Each structure stands twice: as C-alpha cells, then as structure tokens.
Amino acid sequence: MDTAFFEEAEEKIMRDKFDTRKSGATFRGEYGAETGKPDGVGLKIFPNGSIYEGFFSDGHTNGKGRGISGKGEVYQGMFVYD
C-alpha cells in the first residue's frame, strides 16, 4: 500500500465555551491543536450579527454550512474558504 497517499490529520481540540477571536467574532467548536485556528465543526458569531455554523478549515469557513446574515437572510450549502 502506498502510504504517501495518506496524510496525517492534525489533532483537534473541542472547546465548548465561546472564545473571542482577533476579529471580534466569537467561536465555539473544533480547533487545530497546532494552529489554534478553527478547524472542523463549529459555530461562529460575527460582530455584525451574522452567524455561520458548519465546517472550518485552517480558520476559514470551508465545506457544508449555513450562514445567516444580520438581516435574517439564510444561505445553506457549500462554502469555499470564506
């Protein structure tokens, strides 16, 4: 079996409490153990009242998720690096 095909996944840390990010947004969910950035499933609340719940990769919204604007508009589907 070609082991080069498989990459080691970064260890993740789950935090149940909301943390405030540099941007002023709050986040709860999985973080990369080495990077400290959101990585995995989580919930992010932005200062303008918008909400994103879904998958993150290296601190970016990436994958299946749902975004709700401060005005209540909803997008549900795939996100690609914000």
Side-chain angles (χ1 to χ4, degrees), residues 2-3 5 10 15 21-22 28 33 36-38 45 48 76 80:
D2 183 7
T3 57
F5 177 76
E10 180 183 358
R15 295 191 184 148
R21 311 300 295 165
K22 290 179 188 177
R28 179 180 76 184
K37 295 179 181 179
I45 303 171
N48 67 1
Q76 186 165 321
V80 180

Side-chain angles (χ1 to χ4, degrees), residues 16 21 25 28 30 32 37 43 49 59 61-62 64:
D16 291 331
R21 311 300 295 165
R28 179 180 76 184
E30 291 180 303
K37 295 179 181 179
L43 172 67
T61 58
N62 192 51
K64 263 184 152 174

Side-chain angles (χ1 to χ4, degrees), residues 2-15:
D2 183 7
T3 57
F5 177 76
F6 298 98
E7 293 181 28
E8 286 189 37
E10 180 183 358
E11 186 176 329
K12 298 185 191 305
I13 299 168
M14 175 59 103
R15 295 191 184 148

Side-chain angles (χ1 to χ4, degrees), residues 8-61:
E8 286 189 37
E10 180 183 358
E11 186 176 329
K12 298 185 191 305
I13 299 168
M14 175 59 103
R15 295 191 184 148
D16 291 331
K17 292 177 69 178
F18 279 95
D19 289 333
T20 302
R21 311 300 295 165
K22 290 179 188 177
S23 66
T26 56
F27 177 79
R28 179 180 76 184
E30 291 180 303
Y31 288 82
E34 293 177 19
T35 64
K37 295 179 181 179
D39 197 33
V41 178
L43 172 67
K44 189 171 186 177
I45 303 171
F46 297 88
N48 67 1
S50 297
I51 299 170
Y52 172 80
E53 60 181 343
F55 288 89
F56 291 81
S57 179
D58 197 31
H60 299 276
T61 58

